Amino acid sequence: MKLLRYGPAGQEKPGLCDQSGAVRDLSQYVIDIGPETLAPAELARLSKIDPNALPKVSGNPRLGVPVGGIRKFIAIGLNYADHAAEAGLPIPAEPVVFTKAISCLSGPNDPVMLPKDAKKGDWEVELGIFIGRTARYVSEAEALDYVAGYALVNDVSERELQMERGGTWDKGKGFDTAGPVGPWLVTADEVGDPQALGMWLDVNGSRMQTGTTKTMIFNVRQIVSYVSRLFTLWPGDLICTGTPPGVGMGRKPQPVFLKTGDVMTLGMDKLGEQRQEVVPWR
């Protein structure tokens, strides 16, 4: 299934994407797509619904974050060896873990608004993992049993705040609109092997990133298991898993950073596409 939420920000309704790409209204079955919807039994119930029997949503509605009520947004850094190299940083011996503020979450096609006086806005196409069951000290062998599904994430960053202002990476990762997610949550059964997904990102129509999840340093099983040993993962929690090379700060001979009017488009196999225009602070 491809679960989604559509409508104006703060007023999203539950839906799904059918095989033709149309949005179907799920309101008669669930109030919202939230953490409780990601429980295995609930996903099994929804999977029995015939999408063609659901009302088709007319027009081209805005898509929101596909899961409401997310309580943690965790990110893994430097999880592709070639990205670590372009950043001039060593390959980590253990996953680099940081957090993105919940308030940074935005829809897949919403504008990205850089912070005031931003100098080094950057892009990162990533695989996002949605947790479906409470996870504590999960083994790698069982880790995928705790995954409800996956989504495309743009881990938008401000590199000066992240790298040059001291303290944690969180500073440059959690500003408003720095976390576009979607267009859908694709359930784990439909995705299959999460280590076989190609991804790409363009800026103003020029290809910046091309990669595949098979080159992750730490795979999805390892990430879920590792993070569950640091703190409890709840249903609806989101983990983004790192980015392949091609980010702005790694461009040669000079870094390239986002500016007002730039357009990012990105996509991943089975998980759809996003589009964001960069707008000034307002």
Side-chain angles (χ1 to χ4, degrees):
M1 286 184 297
K2 295 181 175 70
L3 298 174
L4 56 85
R5 297 166 70 244
Y6 70 94
Q11 302 175 45
E12 292 91 346
K13 296 179 179 180
L16 59 77
C17 179
D18 69 18
Q19 290 187 336
S20 72
V23 174
R24 299 280 183 162
D25 182 19
L26 261 180
S27 297
Q28 61 184 297
Y29 291 95
V30 290
I31 296 174
D32 197 2
I33 307 295
E36 65 285 346
T37 316
L38 306 189
E42 185 66 0
L43 290 179
R45 180 179 75 90
L46 295 178
S47 72
K48 295 180 173 62
I49 298 168
D50 177 6
N52 295 319
L54 298 172
K56 184 180 289 188
V57 178
S58 61
N60 186 28
R62 171 192 173 269
L63 298 180
V65 179
V67 177
I70 295 171
R71 291 179 283 184
K72 287 196 288 294
F73 191 178
I74 308 301
I76 307 299
L78 303 177
N79 198 29
Y80 290 73
D82 34 14
H83 172 54
E86 73 174 351
L89 297 169
I91 295 174
E94 295 190 25
V96 175
V97 179
F98 60 94
T99 64
K100 289 176 73 77
I102 297 302
S103 55
C104 85
L105 288 162
S106 60
N109 303 312
D110 291 346
V112 164
M113 182 176 63
L114 295 176
K116 286 184 179 181
D117 304 318
K119 299 179 178 66
K120 298 182 178 181
D122 210 343
W123 54 84
E124 295 190 12
V125 57
E126 304 199 9
L127 171 67
I129 305 166
F130 274 106
I131 300 298
R133 298 165 51 197
T134 300
R136 300 184 183 94
Y137 291 92
V138 172
S139 70
E140 290 182 18
E142 298 177 328
L144 295 187
D145 295 338
Y146 291 79
V147 175
Y150 303 92
L152 178 63
V153 176
N154 189 354
D155 177 17
V156 186
S157 309
E158 210 293 332
R159 301 300 189 188
E160 184 189 39
L161 287 169
Q162 177 192 356
M163 311 291 286
E164 302 173 24
R165 300 281 289 273
T168 67
W169 284 10
D170 302 37
K171 285 183 177 181
K173 294 286 192 172
F175 57 89
D176 291 356
T177 74
V181 182
W184 326 293
L185 176 153
V186 185
T187 50
D189 62 304
E190 188 166 323
V191 171
D193 182 2
Q195 306 308 146
L197 303 174
M199 67 187 83
W200 56 272
L201 183 145
D202 295 348
V203 177
N204 301 327
S206 297
R207 183 59 45 92
M208 297 296 179
Q209 290 185 276
T210 304
T212 171
T213 55
K214 70 181 179 182
T215 64
M216 284 181 178
I217 299 168
F218 304 103
N219 63 31
V220 171
R221 288 183 182 274
Q222 293 169 314
I223 289 168
V224 172
S225 176
Y226 185 89
V227 175
S228 78
R229 295 168 186 272
L230 302 178
F231 36 74
T232 299
L233 291 170
W234 292 321
D237 285 353
L238 174 61
I239 307 172
C240 58
T241 56
T243 198
V247 299
M249 71 174 178
R251 304 297 293 181
K252 301 292 189 291
Q254 295 292 330
V256 175
F257 296 113
L258 293 168
K259 62 185 183 301
T260 297
D262 284 346
V263 175
M264 294 176 282
T265 50
L266 56 150
M268 190 174 297
D269 293 345
K270 302 183 180 182
L271 301 184
E273 299 184 6
Q274 299 183 356
R275 180 188 185 278
Q276 300 106 28
E277 181 178 354
V278 179
V279 299
W281 174 266
R282 58 177 185 268

